[in-house]
Amino acid sequence: MAPARASSRNNSLLLLLSTLAMAACTTQFEREYAEAERWRAAAAAAGHEWIETSRLLEQAEATADAGNMDVAFELLGKARFQAEAAVRQAEREAEAWRVRVIK
Amino acid sequence: MNKTAVMLTSILATSLAQPAAIAGPEEDRAAFVRYFQSRFPDVEFDEFANGIYAIDADSRRQWLEIEEFPPYEFAIEQGESEWQQTFANGRTFADCFAQPSDSIRAMYPRYEEARGEVVTLEIALNDCRAANDEEPYAYDAEELIDLTAFLAFEARGKAVAVRIPADQPGAIAAYEDGKRFYYSKRGQLNFACSDCHITSVGQRVRADRLGPSLGHTTHFPVYRSKLGGMIGLQQRFLGCIRDVRAKPFELQSTEYRNLEFFLAYMSNGLMINGPGARK
């Protein structure tokens, strides 16, 4: 009987560990998601949001909800990259547009 | 991140705080016209009201054929009956405007000091409905576009005459904001309106040749054969912004109204010739 008990203990340990890992992953996802969303909001506030960013964020969230974390992080990374690039674009354009004005 | 946001806000704030260093609208317009006239010395000033057809002989031929049976005629008729309909309270659109129907198109876009914003023809028409207890139209509603088609048709031959009185700082700020928008690169493709409609004017983008921005506002709304229906000017803004993979703004947003204000000012002196027909 003992081995059976041990194996069931092992199983619950495994379950516990994987739940913990998943929770860690989820909180990391949530942290990174919030960060990406802050960049998107900054781009939007500057009037420079790109067209795909919020759709990528939605897809990342849905994919994470479905438990497919690798893909979720990849989508999130794309969204974050775009949102940050859009903010940089807004920063550049705050002055750069002036040189294009026809004189 | 926070640092960036702060930096961004402060850059934007300083750029808004220095209108004095900027050339005035009239200098801008003169330079704009000079630019296109030197790029296309054979094109008469008045011709720029015809957009791409002013500079592209092939598509001009096709267009002249299309104009023999104008695809926007139905929209004008519909617009006219909208214009004449009586609201539930017995009044009509005409009661909202002091001018006759041939003099309304040229009054917009205009800056209204009391409201502190640019008012477009679409906004004025919807305001009229609201003032008469009628539901305003959606800004892409066929009824509204048809009304603007009718009023543009009535106004044919009248000059675009956007005013920016020097004693209206709000009007100048709205104009400057539209100008900044027009010349700013945006979207994943990192293009400004000016990159296509000034710098690359006349060049081919896929099946299209790029038309000049001088005259951009004179002929709207247009019937687009590609879409099989009429669209307003701001729907065109929206399409071009989407094409550079930027997130479009809402129709009649402050951004688009100010952009329209700037672009229409650039076309001052050209004749209103809407509605138009475009690919």
Side-chain angles (χ1 to χ4, degrees), chain A residues 38-39 46-52 82 87-89 91-95 97-98 100-103, chain B residues 1 4 7-8 11 15 22 31 35 180 183-188 190 198 242 245-247 249:
Chain A
R38 269 198 301 277
W39 281 102
H48 272 263
E49 185 176 349
W50 293 1
I51 199 166
E52 262 194 317
Q82 286 199 2
V87 168
R88 303 287 173 232
Q89 182 181 56
E91 287 170 353
R92 274 195 313 277
E93 290 306 307
E95 283 303 321
W97 67 271
R98 293 179 193 281
R100 294 180 207 115
V101 176
I102 298 296
K103 289 183 192 81
Chain B
M1 158 66 213
T4 311
M7 198 165 82
L8 189 60
I11 289 171
S15 73
I22 295 163
Y35 176 87
R180 178 188 55 76
Y183 285 108
S184 294
K185 288 184 187 283
R186 60 188 69 249
Q188 198 166 4
N190 202 36
I198 294 182
R242 196 192 286 134
R245 308 199 55 72
K247 185 180 172 185
F249 296 84

Side-chain angles (χ1 to χ4, degrees), chain B residues 44-110:
Chain B
E44 297 281 330
F45 173 71
D46 289 347
E47 265 300 316
F48 283 100
N50 292 321
I52 188 63
Y53 308 131
I55 65 166
D56 185 82
D58 278 351
S59 51
R60 185 185 183 89
R61 260 192 303 278
Q62 293 169 22
W63 169 62
L64 290 175
E65 271 167 37
I66 290 171
E67 284 281 344
E68 284 176 28
F69 302 98
Y72 48 75
E73 214 146 58
F74 184 64
I76 299 173
E77 282 164 24
Q78 291 293 107
E80 180 167 19
S81 59
E82 298 267 337
W83 181 258
Q84 285 161 350
Q85 91 190 320
T86 13
F87 301 134
N89 65 7
R91 298 167 67 86
T92 67
F93 276 112
D95 293 321
C96 292
F97 296 88
Q99 302 73 13
S101 59
D102 66 352
S103 306
I104 295 172
R105 173 64 274 188
M107 289 176 50
Y108 299 92
R110 63 200 219 127

Side-chain angles (χ1 to χ4, degrees), chain B residues 27 45 81 85 89 158 165-167 169 198 204 210-211 214 248-249 258:
Chain B
E27 285 98 319
F45 173 71
S81 59
Q85 91 190 320
N89 65 7
K158 293 224 157 46
D167 62 351
I198 294 182
R204 225 164 257 287
L210 292 162
L214 178 59
F249 296 84
N258 292 347

Side-chain angles (χ1 to χ4, degrees), chain B residues 38-253:
Chain B
S38 69
R39 284 284 297 261
F40 304 102
D42 299 335
V43 175
E44 297 281 330
F45 173 71
D46 289 347
E47 265 300 316
F48 283 100
N50 292 321
I52 188 63
Y53 308 131
I55 65 166
D56 185 82
D58 278 351
S59 51
R60 185 185 183 89
R61 260 192 303 278
Q62 293 169 22
W63 169 62
L64 290 175
E65 271 167 37
I66 290 171
E67 284 281 344
E68 284 176 28
F69 302 98
Y72 48 75
E73 214 146 58
F74 184 64
I76 299 173
E77 282 164 24
Q78 291 293 107
E80 180 167 19
S81 59
E82 298 267 337
W83 181 258
Q84 285 161 350
Q85 91 190 320
T86 13
F87 301 134
N89 65 7
R91 298 167 67 86
T92 67
F93 276 112
D95 293 321
C96 292
F97 296 88
Q99 302 73 13
S101 59
D102 66 352
S103 306
I104 295 172
R105 173 64 274 188
M107 289 176 50
Y108 299 92
R110 63 200 219 127
Y111 185 80
E112 290 192 5
E113 188 78 347
R115 296 167 68 146
E117 60 181 3
V118 170
V119 175
T120 59
L121 179 58
E122 287 83 352
I123 299 268
L125 289 166
N126 259 349
D127 282 354
C128 177
R129 284 184 66 83
N132 286 287
D133 304 316
E134 300 283 333
E135 203 52 37
Y137 295 125
Y139 290 122
D140 58 357
E142 215 171 285
E143 292 94 330
L144 184 57
I145 298 171
D146 290 350
L147 273 167
T148 66
F150 168 66
L151 291 173
F153 187 68
E154 291 284 287
R156 276 190 179 183
K158 293 224 157 46
V160 177
V162 178
R163 291 178 347 103
I164 303 180
D167 62 351
Q168 284 190 1
I172 295 167
Y175 168 89
E176 282 300 328
D177 186 60
K179 174 174 156 187
R180 178 188 55 76
F181 192 102
Y182 179 84
Y183 285 108
S184 294
K185 288 184 187 283
R186 60 188 69 249
Q188 198 166 4
L189 302 190
N190 202 36
F191 270 105
C193 311
S194 58
D195 289 335
C196 284
H197 293 295
I198 294 182
T199 317
S200 305
V201 63
Q203 287 179 22
R204 225 164 257 287
V205 174
R206 289 188 227 117
D208 288 311
R209 281 185 77 190
L210 292 162
S213 266
L214 178 59
H216 250 167
T217 66
T218 60
H219 47 273
F220 277 86
V222 299
Y223 180 90
R224 290 202 61 192
S225 26
K226 189 174 125 184
L227 306 172
M230 303 288 297
I231 64 160
L233 176 65
Q234 295 196 2
Q235 284 168 288
R236 213 8 156 155
F237 294 169
L238 200 148
C240 282
I241 288 169
R242 196 192 286 134
D243 286 348
V244 301
R245 308 199 55 72
K247 185 180 172 185
F249 296 84
E250 300 286 326
L251 295 175
Q252 302 298 333
S253 58

